[in-house]
Every structure is written in C-alpha cells, then in structure tokens.
C-alpha cells in the first residue's frame, strides 16, 4: 500500500469502509456483532451529513480508493469536542498513520477547551497513543449493551 494519502472530506464508500473496519476489528477483539457495525454506520453517516466547521473528518485512502483509516473530532457538543471513529486497517498499524491522524485531530481540537473519547478495555495500542497526546482516564463503566463483558473507558484531554 505505497499510495496512501490522507483526505479531508467524505468520499463515496467511506461510511461503509469505516463501518466495516470497525465491524471486523471489534468482532475479533470484543465479540461485537452486526448491531455494533450498523450503529457505527448510522452514527457516522448522520455525523457526515450534518458536519460543520467545528468538526473534523480525516481518512486514509489507498490506491484503490478504499478508506483504510479514519478519525473524527465532533465539535457539535461543545464545550468539549469528542474524538470518534479512530481506526486503521491492520496492515497500517505501526507505520505512523495513527499518529498522523491523531495529530490532525488534536490540532483541530485546540479550538476547544478540551476533548473526550470513549474506548474499550483491551485496546492497549490506542490507549497508549491517546495518553501520548495528553488524554487521561476519567471513568470506567461496564457496558452490557452488546451482550459482551465490555468495560468502556472515558478519557479526557484539556487544553493547557
């Protein structure tokens, strides 16, 4: 995948590609099913339809035009922005694309007093990256909505 590029807007197929990345990853890591993937697709589609200048969408696209990574800063629920839909295809992990996506998101997040995200216990590489960018854990909540023993972790970053 030598021809990767970061794009700044929705492109045809992005919602499906990003939902599929989430669906495959979270089925393997946390036992999620079709309901989770459908929720990702619906929420991401609704976000992109109503996105305004307060928010940011970035995606990594390969030579075939497939979205293989994404990140969002959702600025619609101020004062804190929400970091959402951060994912990379397994073939991209460890190559710096995650860091590039978070750098873009955090540069945009500087216009807010802070940001928050939800992640899941066991996503150690992502949690490590979030901490490297100043996020700290603020809560752990058991979440049984997906019929799996998931612990959701809320993390927050506050602008200095």
């Amino acid at each position: 995948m030598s021809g990767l590029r970061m794009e700044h807007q929705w492109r045809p197929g992005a919602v499906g590609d990003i939902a599929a990345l989430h669906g495959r990853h979270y089925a393997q890591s946390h036992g999620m099913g079709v309901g989770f993937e459908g929720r990702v697709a619906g929420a991401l589609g609704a976000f992109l339809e109503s996105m305004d200048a307060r928010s940011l969408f970035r995606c990594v696209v390969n030579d075939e035009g497939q979205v293989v990574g994404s990140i969002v800063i959702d600025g619609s629920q101020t004062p804190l922005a929400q970091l959402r839909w951060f994912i990379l295809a397994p073939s991209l992990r460890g190559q710096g694309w995650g860091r590039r996506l978070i750098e873009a998101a955090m540069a945009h997040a500087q216009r807010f007093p802070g940001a928050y995200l939800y992640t899941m216990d066991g996503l150690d590489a992502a949690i490590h990256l979030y901490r490297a960018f100043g996020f700290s854990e603020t809560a752990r909540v058991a979440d049984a909505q997906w019929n799996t023993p998931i612990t959701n972790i809320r993390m927050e970053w506050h602008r200095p």
Side-chain angles (χ1 to χ4, degrees):
M1 287 192 186
S2 61
L4 297 171
R5 64 190 179 280
M6 192 179 310
E7 294 197 0
H8 300 239
Q9 61 189 11
W10 171 84
R11 56 178 293 111
V15 172
D17 289 345
I18 294 166
L21 286 168
H22 278 81
R24 286 189 293 271
H25 178 79
Y26 288 97
Q28 181 179 19
S29 69
H30 289 80
M32 301 292 207
V34 67
F36 178 77
E37 186 174 342
R39 184 171 164 189
V40 168
L44 178 58
F47 166 80
L48 289 169
E49 282 187 313
S50 63
M51 189 176 127
D52 62 23
R54 295 173 297 177
S55 298
L56 169 130
F57 171 76
R58 294 289 184 270
C59 61
V60 179
V61 179
N62 66 18
D63 284 336
E64 292 78 39
Q66 180 182 27
V67 174
V68 292
S70 69
I71 199 163
V72 161
I73 289 289
D74 183 349
S76 67
Q77 299 176 17
T78 56
L80 297 183
Q82 184 178 10
L83 190 149
R84 305 180 76 181
W85 299 298
F86 175 48
I87 191 133
L88 287 172
S91 62
L92 296 187
R93 295 182 189 143
Q95 296 181 27
W97 283 101
R99 181 167 292 280
R100 285 179 223 158
L101 286 169
I102 289 199
E103 285 171 350
M106 295 309 293
H108 186 83
Q110 295 297 319
R111 59 182 74 185
F112 298 93
Y116 71 97
L117 61 88
Y118 287 96
T119 190
M120 295 177 192
D121 200 21
L123 299 177
D124 299 335
I127 292 169
H128 176 78
L129 198 51
Y130 297 142
R131 286 186 176 134
F133 279 84
F135 282 87
S136 59
E137 184 176 319
T138 58
R140 285 182 172 252
V141 180
D143 184 354
Q145 70 176 325
W146 305 111
N147 296 320
T148 60
I150 294 171
T151 300
N152 285 325
I153 302 170
R154 181 181 167 109
M155 300 182 81
E156 291 186 13
W157 162 85
H158 294 277
R159 188 179 55 199

